Amino acid sequence: MSEVFAFELENVSYRYREDEVSLQGINMKIRAGERVVLLGPNGGGKSTLQKIVAGLIFGEGKFLAYGKAITAQAMRDKEFAAAYRRKIGFVFQNSDVQLFCANVLDEVMFGPLAMGMPYAEAMQRAQELLNFVGISSLTERMPQHLSGGEKKKVAIAAVLAVNPDVLILDEPTNGLDPKTQRWMITTLNALHESGKTLLVATHNLALVPEIADRAIVLGENHQMIADGSPDSVLNDRRLLLEANLIDESTQSANPLTQY
Amino acid sequence: MRVSNTTSALPQYLTVSEQQKLPTARKTWWQRQDYLEKTLVDIHQVIVKNLYQTDVRVRSSFLQSLEPRVKVLSALFLLVMSALTRDLVSLAVFQGVLLLVALLSGLRLKSYLGRVWLPALGFAGVAVLPAIFSWITPGDVCFFIYHDFSLQVGSFMLPRELAITQQGLTVAAFVFLRAITSLGLVVLLMATTRWSMVTKALGKLGMPAILVMVLDMTYRYLFLFLLLLGDYILGRKSRVVGGERYRSELSWIGAALAGFLRLIVEYSREISAAMVARGYTGESYNELSQPFSVREACFFSVVVILGIVLWGGERLVRSICV
C-alpha cells in the first residue's frame, strides 16, 4: 500500500447551524489506494464527511489532501480547485442532482472537454466509457428518461471520464437491482485494482467486506466510534447496535451470517 | 466473497492512475462574485433561518399560545382598520403596540425591525420619497431645497423653487406607516404561527380547500426543491475540472434552470402519483374545530377596541376633549 496519505483529518467538525453539530472531532488518515467504507446511522454525518473530503463544504479543524490544506480560501483559486476536482471524483447518492447536461453523451464528455481535451479524444473516451458501463445505446437519451440504475451508471461514467485518483461514492448501491449492484461491486474493485482510492458511504453491511479493506463507523453522536478491518467491525455486535446499524432482533453479531 | 479481477474490462486510460500532484493554492485577495457559490450560501441561510423561525413558532409565548384563527382574524381586522384610518398619531402609536407584542412573543427586536422596517424603507420609502417635494405635493413649505433659481434647457424649464411640504410629508408618513403596520401584522402572524396552521385557519375562514392544499404543498416542496437545488449546484461544482470562464458559468445557469425545471416536473408527477396512491381525491381535512377559549375571546375583544381606536382615534380624542 502507498505510503502517501491521500487524506489527513485532524479534529474536523462541521455544523449546519450554531446549535446543530453534523460532525464532531473527526481524526483519520486515509492512504492513497485504500478502500475505505463509511458506516453510520442516518444523519450520522457520512455524507457531510464525504462532502468535506471532496472540498465541497468546509468544516472546522485541519484537513489535508495529498499534503495540501483544503480550505475555502485554497478552493477560491480556480486552478487549484479544478485540479482538486479532477483528482477527486464524487458520485452523489441522488444521481438526478449530478446529471445536468442535455443527454448522456454530453454528460460524459463534460469533464474531458472542461479539462481541455480535444473533442475527438473526449468523444472516444466517452464511447469507451459508455461501452464499459453498458449503456452505449443510450447516448442520445435525456437523463430524465433513464431508469435509476442507468442514471447511476451515467453518473459514474461522467465522474470516471476525468480519471480521478480518488472515488467518493455516497450509497452507491441504493435503489439498484441485484444485477446492477453486482456490476457496481465488480467495477469498484476493478477501479481499486487500477490504483484508485475508494471512500464509500453505505448502510448496506453486506457490501462492506466486498468493497473495503477498512471500515470507519460514525455514531449517532456524529463522532467516529470505530476504525478497523471490516471483519472486526462486523463482528462487534455492541458497536453495530451503538451505531444503529443493526437492531436488537438481529441474532448474530455479524449481520452477514443472517443472509 | 471477493469479486474476480475485471481490470481488463476497464478502458485503457482508467487502468493507469495519473496521481498528478496538486498545485500550490495561490492566495487570491480579490475574487469575482461567484453567482453559484452565492446561491449555495443563500440556500443554506434560508434553511437555517427557517429552522430558527420554526423554533420561535413552537414556543409558548404570548401570540404562539393563541388559536390560529383568532390571530388570522385579528390580523385581517387590524389590516383593514390601519388602511382606513386617517389619524397619523394613532398609526404611529400603534407601532409601539406591535413592537411590544413582538417582544412579548419572543421575537428578536433586530429580526422584527429587519423584516418590517427595512423592506418598508426599501420599497414604500423609496416609492413615496418624491411625494414629499413641492413639485409633486404642493402645500405649506417646511424646508426649501432651493428657491429663486431658474434653469432652462431647451423646452424644459426647472421650476423656480423646490421645497419639502407639510402636506407631502403627511402623505409620505401615511404611506410609510401603513406599510410598516401591514408588514408588522403579517410578520407577527407568520413568525408566531406554523404555516400549516395559518392555511388551516384560512380554510376555516372560507378559503377554498384546494387553495389551502396548494399553499400547504407549496411551502412544503419549496424547501425540498431548495435542498435539491443546493445539491444540484454542488453536483456540478464537484465536476468542474477545468478553468471556467464567467460566460460559461452563466450559460450553465441558463441551461440548469431548464434542467432543474424538468426535474421539478418529474418530481411533481411522482408527488401527484404518491398522493393518489394514498387515496387523495381532492378533498382536504381541516383539523381546527375547537371553540375559542375565554382568553382568545378577550384577546379578540382587545383587538376590536384597538382597531376602533386606530380607525377613529382622531375623532375619539376630539370628542373626549370637547
Side-chain angles (χ1 to χ4, degrees):
Chain A
M1 189 169 296
S2 169
E3 288 305 308
V4 176
F5 283 114
F7 305 112
E8 296 166 78
L9 287 86
E10 266 179 47
N11 205 20
V12 169
S13 300
Y14 188 85
R15 49 192 90 221
Y16 282 99
R17 58 175 184 155
E18 273 176 36
D19 55 346
E20 193 179 296
V21 178
S22 303
L23 211 57
Q24 191 156 29
I26 302 295
N27 290 295
M28 67 176 194
K29 290 182 177 183
I30 296 175
R31 289 182 190 282
E34 250 190 307
R35 296 186 305 166
V36 179
V37 76
L38 279 175
L39 296 170
N42 287 335
K46 302 188 295 292
S47 300
T48 305
L49 180 55
Q50 286 189 315
K51 282 179 185 165
I52 288 175
V53 172
L56 295 173
I57 56 177
F58 307 95
E60 299 154 24
K62 189 175 167 189
F63 168 44
L64 302 179
Y66 292 92
K68 299 273 164 55
I70 305 301
T71 60
Q73 171 73 35
M75 294 301 267
R76 265 185 225 126
D77 176 1
K78 299 276 177 191
E79 211 173 294
F80 179 82
Y84 192 68
R85 307 252 178 264
R86 193 179 163 188
K87 209 167 177 61
I88 317 288
F90 193 157
V91 180
F92 282 66
Q93 181 176 2
N94 180 0
S95 306
D96 273 322
V97 301
Q98 198 164 6
L99 307 179
F100 47 75
C101 295
N103 62 38
V104 170
L105 187 65
D106 286 356
E107 204 66 68
V108 182
M109 286 175 71
F110 174 86
L113 291 176
M115 65 188 211
M117 189 180 282
Y119 188 86
E121 200 181 327
M123 171 68 92
Q124 191 194 340
R125 182 174 279 201
Q127 281 169 343
E128 277 177 19
L129 267 171
L130 291 170
N131 276 330
F132 168 63
V133 298
I135 50 170
S136 53
S137 59
L138 304 176
T139 49
E140 293 304 318
R141 195 74 74 85
M142 291 162 90
Q144 67 268 27
H145 295 152
L146 301 172
S147 70
E150 287 165 346
K151 279 180 195 169
K152 186 68 85 184
K153 285 182 171 182
V154 177
I156 288 181
V159 167
L160 289 181
V162 296
N163 195 14
D165 292 330
V166 179
L167 268 174
I168 300 175
L169 299 103
D170 193 359
E171 303 285 0
T173 55
N174 249 18
L176 299 182
D177 59 55
K179 198 174 163 190
T180 315
Q181 281 192 32
R182 180 51 49 194
W183 170 85
M184 177 71 77
I185 292 166
T186 310
T187 303
L188 291 181
N189 282 312
L191 289 165
H192 171 249
E193 279 163 26
S194 73
K196 311 270 180 236
T197 309
L198 300 182
L199 179 62
V200 182
T202 186
H203 274 111
N204 186 350
L205 296 181
L207 195 67
V208 179
E210 297 215 55
I211 58 158
D213 306 311
R214 180 178 164 196
I216 290 172
V217 185
L218 298 177
E220 287 185 314
N221 56 0
H222 313 283
Q223 296 178 2
M224 206 166 94
I225 55 172
D227 181 358
S229 69
D231 270 354
S232 68
V233 167
L234 294 178
N235 284 316
D236 190 339
R237 180 178 168 80
R238 187 199 52 79
L239 172 70
L240 297 178
L241 277 170
E242 186 189 340
N244 202 9
L245 289 164
I246 57 170
D247 65 19
E248 293 288 352
S249 64
T250 311
Q251 296 297 312
S252 164
N254 186 340
L256 292 179
T257 59
Q258 298 281 306
Y259 309 116
Chain B
M1 286 284 273
R2 280 293 297 270
V3 178
S4 62
N5 188 337
T6 53
T7 311
S8 58
L10 287 176
Q12 182 58 35
Y13 79 95
L14 275 178
T15 61
V16 183
S17 204
E18 293 183 357
Q19 302 288 359
Q20 283 187 350
K21 282 196 168 176
L22 284 173
T24 301
R26 291 166 302 178
K27 282 190 178 171
T28 46
W29 298 112
W30 180 84
Q31 186 67 36
R32 167 174 62 75
Q33 176 83 353
D34 188 323
Y35 193 76
L36 293 175
E37 202 66 49
K38 189 178 171 301
T39 308
L40 271 176
V41 172
D42 288 347
I43 290 172
H44 179 73
Q45 277 174 352
V46 166
I47 289 160
V48 168
K49 267 187 195 164
N50 184 258
L51 285 169
Y52 167 72
Q53 283 160 6
T54 307
D55 290 347
V56 173
R57 282 181 197 125
V58 296
R59 281 181 196 162
S60 51
S61 305
F62 179 53
L63 278 181
Q64 286 89 332
S65 59
L66 290 169
E67 218 272 351
R69 275 175 301 174
V70 179
K71 284 190 274 183
V72 172
L73 266 177
S74 304
L76 289 173
F77 177 71
L78 290 173
L79 272 172
V80 173
M81 287 304 167
S82 65
L84 291 177
T85 188
R86 300 171 67 85
D87 184 17
L88 209 54
V89 178
S90 310
L91 264 178
V93 172
F94 190 60
Q95 302 315 309
V97 177
L98 289 180
L99 206 60
L100 183 68
V101 172
L103 292 176
L104 285 175
S105 305
L107 268 69
R108 286 185 198 149
L109 185 65
K110 194 177 156 193
S111 154
Y112 175 80
L113 295 178
R115 289 169 74 182
V116 175
W117 282 70
L118 280 185
L121 276 171
F123 293 99
V126 169
V128 86
L129 192 65
I132 67 173
F133 298 110
S134 54
W135 296 354
I136 309 290
T137 318
D140 306 329
V141 173
C142 291
F143 177 75
F144 274 110
I145 308 284
Y146 70 79
H147 59 99
D148 291 336
F149 174 76
S150 66
L151 177 72
Q152 187 164 5
V153 181
S155 60
F156 173 77
M157 196 172 81
L158 206 63
R160 290 187 64 81
E161 60 180 37
L162 173 64
I164 294 173
T165 65
Q166 192 186 335
Q167 285 78 354
L169 282 175
T170 309
V171 167
F174 258 119
V175 173
F176 182 69
L177 283 174
R178 280 188 178 135
I180 54 172
T181 306
S182 309
L183 264 173
L185 287 166
V186 174
V187 163
L188 279 181
L189 173 68
M190 298 309 299
T192 60
T193 320
R194 279 184 292 137
W195 177 247
S196 57
M197 288 293 120
V198 175
T199 54
K200 281 190 175 64
L202 289 172
K204 274 285 169 197
L205 296 173
M207 183 182 273
I210 188 73
L211 209 55
V212 171
M213 185 115 190
V214 168
L215 284 174
D216 269 345
M217 289 182 66
T218 305
Y219 188 76
R220 156 78 181 84
Y221 287 106
L222 195 67
F223 284 94
L224 174 75
F225 291 139
L226 266 182
L227 288 172
L228 204 61
L229 180 64
D231 277 347
Y232 200 68
I233 297 174
L234 272 188
R236 188 212 183 240
K237 190 174 157 183
S238 73
R239 286 178 56 197
V240 177
V241 294
E244 194 182 31
R245 278 176 296 184
Y246 188 49
R247 278 176 64 186
S248 117
E249 186 177 305
L250 283 182
S251 71
W252 181 81
I253 292 169
L257 284 177
F260 192 66
L261 207 62
R262 271 202 307 260
L263 202 63
I264 287 179
V265 170
E266 207 178 310
Y267 267 78
S268 306
R269 282 201 201 107
E270 296 268 315
I271 290 162
S272 164
M275 286 168 71
V276 172
R278 287 176 59 195
Y280 176 68
T281 56
E283 293 292 317
S284 92
Y285 302 94
N286 216 322
E287 70 187 49
L288 293 175
S289 56
Q290 67 270 37
F292 293 159
S293 65
V294 176
R295 185 166 173 265
E296 279 143 5
C298 290
F299 175 81
F300 193 64
S301 307
V302 171
V303 165
V304 170
I305 294 167
L306 208 61
I308 292 169
V309 172
L310 185 61
W311 173 55
E314 188 189 21
R315 274 162 281 178
L316 208 70
V317 171
R318 205 178 298 147
S319 66
I320 290 168
C321 290
V322 170

